[in-house]
Amino acid sequence: MKTDPRTPELEAAFAEGPAQIGELRLRSLSFGTINLCRQLNLSLFLDEQVELPEEEKQRQLVAFAWVQSAPLSEVLEAVRTGKVQERLDAFAFSLSIGMLPALMAEVSRISRLAAAAAVEVMPKPGDRDDEGAPPNC
């Protein structure tokens, strides 16, 4: 049986314990993390290759750190009630500038793990009238 080359990354993505950056303890990667990053448009986390202005990178780093370290009930409540920006503004005061390189390294690591965990559903051959598609057998 052929193994998926992503297997080690997939196992690491969901098996690693929380990361510690300064005083922040970041939760482990979860499908919830990925979903929240999509909802909050955290493209830095979702696409490691994305080019962003420095101000937007910093906004996304703060948001990622908050999503992964604030009490989960607080994060979910803020998302439900539209108070995310208010929470991020307050949370930013707890982050020192010296934490930014470590946060950036963690985002880079996590984005690689998230990419490994991503599942792309391919259309079944023959589902459409595509020329050259093999027939269903």
Side-chain angles (χ1 to χ4, degrees):
M1 183 173 147
K2 189 175 179 181
T3 58
D4 188 330
R6 300 178 307 165
T7 298
E9 288 85 7
L10 287 168
E11 290 171 355
F14 295 99
E16 290 182 0
Q20 189 79 33
I21 298 176
E23 295 178 16
L24 288 180
R25 185 173 173 89
L26 303 178
R27 282 187 282 282
S28 300
L29 177 67
S30 69
F31 286 112
T33 302
I34 295 167
N35 288 335
L36 278 177
C37 286
R38 285 183 183 132
Q39 288 178 38
L40 300 176
N41 296 316
L42 301 183
S43 56
L44 188 61
F45 172 79
L46 299 169
D47 179 4
E48 189 179 9
Q49 305 301 318
V50 70
E51 294 292 327
L52 298 170
E54 198 61 34
E55 183 178 297
E56 179 60 13
K57 281 183 191 176
Q58 289 177 8
R59 183 198 73 79
Q60 290 192 28
L61 282 172
V62 169
F64 175 77
W66 175 73
V67 162
Q68 287 300 95
S69 66
L72 187 55
S73 58
E74 177 185 317
V75 172
L76 295 175
E77 182 268 335
V79 170
R80 268 193 308 273
T81 61
K83 294 186 178 185
V84 170
Q85 191 59 53
E86 181 181 319
R87 299 292 193 276
L88 291 177
D89 291 343
F91 179 76
F93 284 97
S94 71
L95 299 176
S96 70
I97 298 297
M99 293 174 76
L100 290 179
L103 277 172
M104 192 65 204
E106 181 65 5
V107 166
S108 180
R109 183 185 76 83
I110 293 290
S111 68
R112 286 191 304 273
L113 296 177
V119 176
E120 185 176 338
V121 177
M122 302 299 287
K124 186 171 104 178
D127 272 358
R128 291 181 268 155
D129 292 332
D130 292 339
E131 283 187 38
N136 287 332
C137 298

